[in-house]
Amino acid sequence: MRHRFTFARSVALFALILQTGCTAFTVSPQASRPEPVPEPLVIAHRGASGYLPEHTLESYALAIEQGAHYIEADLVITADGVLIARHENNLADTTDVAEKFPGRRRTGMVDGQQVDGWFSEDFTLEEIKTLRATERLPFRDQSSNGKFLVPSFDEVIQLVLSRSRELGRSIGIYPETKHPSHFAALGLPLEEPLVAALERHDLDRADAPVFIQSFEVGNLRKLDGFTDAPLIQLLSAPTLAPFDQESAGTGLTYGDMITDAGLREIATYADGIGPWKGLIVPRDEEGDLAPPTNLIDRAHAVGLAVHAYTFRSEARYLASQYDGDPGAEYRQFFSLGVDGVFTDFPDAATRAARNLQ
Ligand code: G3P
Ligand code: CA
C-alpha cells in the first residue's frame, strides 16, 4: 500500500497555500481555530491552450500569468532520447513539420492504431528545434502559428522554476507520459529521463509541487518503484482500457478501475486519479447533464485526490445547462469536491476558484 498520499498531497497543497496566499479560513463547529480551505488546483492543460498554441513556453507563461497552480506538460521523446512537450508523437497537427521535413512522413503503429505522419522518435532534438508550433484547433486563434518553438521538458521546468522565483509563489509541474508502452518497445522509455529531469532540479520528492500522470497502469507502477513524486492514474471512458492492459490481454477497463475495488488498487501505487469529467458529471446522448456520480467521494474514501479533465470555455464544449457560463461548470465540480481541474482557460478556472473563497 502506498502511504505517501496524505503526506505528499497535503504538503504540496499547503506549500502552494503558504506561497500563494490563496486560502480562505473557515471555523469548524468543533474547533475554535480556523481551518485552512485550499482552493482547488488550477492545472493549465497544455498551458493556456485556449489562447496560444499548446505546449509552448509562451502558452505556459501565459497560464502562469493567469494564476495557474500547475503547468501540464504532455511528454514524448526524440530519437536522441530527449523529452519534449507534445500531446502525441505525431507532430503533424501541432507543428509545421510537413513543410520543413516533407520527406520524413511515414505510416506507423502507435498504441494499436495505424498513424500517418511525422513521429518524434524519428527526429533529433536539433531537428525538433527547427520546427515551429501551430494551433491544433481551427476555431481557435491562428495568429501565433509559426512563432514559437517546441520546448524540451528541461526548458519547461526551467521556465516554471524561474517564474516561481520571480513571482514568489510556488508553481507546480504536471508531466504526463504519452504512449509509454510504445516508446519502451522502441528502446526509448520515458520514465528514466523523466525522473532524471526531476532529480536535476531537486523535484524528485514526495513534497515537490509535481504530479506525474499516465493513462497506462504498468508505467505508473514502475514509476512508483523509483520516484517519490506524487503519481496520478488517468481514467478515460468506462468501456475503454489502458493500452498496456489491452495489449497484455488482462481485460482491465477504466470501468473496472472506478469500482471501489479498482480505486483501492490504484491507491496502492498512485496518489490520485485524473478522471475524464464525464465520469463525475455524465451527459446523456443529447449532451445534456445527467445526475453526478459519487466517484469523487469514493476516491476520497480511499485517500485518492481527484483532478478532472478537461474544462474548456467555448460554447461548443459547454452543456446547455451551464447557459454559456464556464463558471457554472467549475462551480458544479467544485461543489462536488473535486481537488483540481485541467483547463485550457486557466483565467476562467482561477476566477471560479477564487470566488469560492
Ligand atoms: O492529462 C489530463 C488530460 O490532459 C488528459 O487528456 O488527452 O488532453 O492528455 P489529454
Ligand atoms: Ca494530458
Side-chain angles (χ1 to χ4, degrees):
M1 180 72 164
R2 191 177 170 90
H3 288 295
R4 66 190 182 207
F5 162 73
T6 306
F7 176 71
R9 183 166 162 265
S10 58
V11 171
L13 284 174
F14 279 90
L16 280 166
I17 289 163
L18 290 171
Q19 291 174 49
T20 62
C22 58
T23 309
F25 290 86
T26 59
V27 179
S28 97
Q30 287 83 30
S32 57
R33 295 184 62 197
E35 292 175 355
V37 180
E39 278 181 22
L41 297 180
V42 174
I43 305 154
H45 183 247
R46 316 184 195 176
S49 56
Y51 298 99
L52 288 174
E54 67 187 46
H55 292 317
T56 58
L57 292 181
E58 290 76 8
S59 183
Y60 300 140
L62 178 59
I64 292 167
E65 270 177 44
Q66 293 181 345
H69 300 127
Y70 278 75
I71 297 301
E72 194 220 14
D74 295 319
L75 298 178
V76 297
I77 199 163
T78 65
D80 46 347
V82 181
L83 294 175
I84 58 170
R86 288 291 94 191
H87 180 261
E88 56 272 309
N89 57 338
N90 185 355
L91 305 168
D93 292 337
T94 62
T95 73
D96 57 0
V97 68
E99 194 185 308
K100 299 265 173 66
F101 294 93
R104 303 278 283 275
R105 182 177 184 170
R106 68 175 173 87
T107 300
M109 295 299 289
V110 182
D111 296 356
Q113 305 288 321
Q114 187 167 300
V115 178
D116 175 54
W118 289 258
F119 298 89
S120 67
E121 60 263 35
D122 295 344
F123 292 84
T124 62
L125 180 66
E126 190 179 353
E127 290 172 326
I128 293 288
K129 286 296 184 183
T130 68
L131 304 179
R132 295 295 178 271
T134 57
E135 172 55 51
R136 174 194 301 275
L137 298 171
F139 53 86
R140 286 187 174 165
D141 182 11
Q142 305 291 314
S143 65
S144 295
N145 288 354
K147 293 183 182 169
F148 306 140
L149 297 168
V150 174
S152 68
F153 184 45
D154 254 315
E155 290 169 327
V156 180
I157 296 175
Q158 284 163 19
L159 171 79
V160 168
L161 293 181
S162 72
R163 291 301 287 146
S164 293
R165 278 192 299 272
E166 287 159 13
L167 295 172
R169 74 175 176 97
S170 172
I171 302 154
I173 300 171
Y174 210 127
E176 178 184 349
T177 54
K178 285 293 187 189
H179 317 299
S181 292
H182 171 78
F183 285 120
L186 295 176
L188 289 167
L190 303 176
E191 296 78 21
E192 287 81 359
L194 168 52
V195 174
L198 295 178
E199 281 172 353
R200 276 196 294 281
H201 298 279
D202 189 30
L203 290 169
D204 181 23
R205 295 179 280 108
D207 61 346
V210 171
F211 290 102
I212 303 175
Q213 41 166 344
S214 181
F215 277 108
E216 293 193 9
V217 175
N219 83 310
L220 277 183
R221 290 188 186 278
K222 171 182 164 183
L223 281 161
D224 186 32
F226 75 106
T227 179
D228 290 325
L231 305 177
I232 298 290
Q233 175 69 63
L234 295 173
L235 299 167
S236 187
T239 54
L240 301 178
F243 177 67
D244 63 317
Q245 301 301 303
E246 193 180 309
S247 55
T250 67
L252 184 76
T253 65
Y254 292 114
D256 299 325
M257 297 170 77
I258 57 172
T259 62
D260 287 345
L263 293 170
R264 278 196 300 276
E265 184 59 29
I266 291 171
T268 65
Y269 61 86
D271 304 277
I273 56 171
W276 167 54
K277 64 186 182 183
L279 298 176
I280 296 169
V281 181
R283 297 189 188 186
D284 64 20
E285 284 170 8
E286 280 74 49
D288 289 326
L289 300 180
T293 69
N294 59 2
L295 177 60
I296 293 177
D297 291 341
R298 292 188 299 105
H300 285 171
V302 296
L304 293 168
V306 181
H307 301 160
Y309 69 86
T310 300
F311 292 75
R312 298 181 167 108
S313 295
E314 289 112 334
R316 67 181 66 218
Y317 295 115
L318 292 172
S320 61
Q321 287 83 355
Y322 297 131
D323 205 19
D325 175 14
E329 185 178 37
Y330 292 113
R331 285 193 292 278
Q332 181 180 26
F333 278 77
F334 294 162
S335 72
L336 292 167
V338 78
D339 303 292
V341 289
F342 290 88
T343 175
D344 289 3
F345 294 84
D347 51 349
T350 301
R351 264 194 307 276
R354 290 188 179 156
N355 284 340
L356 267 187
Q357 308 296 315

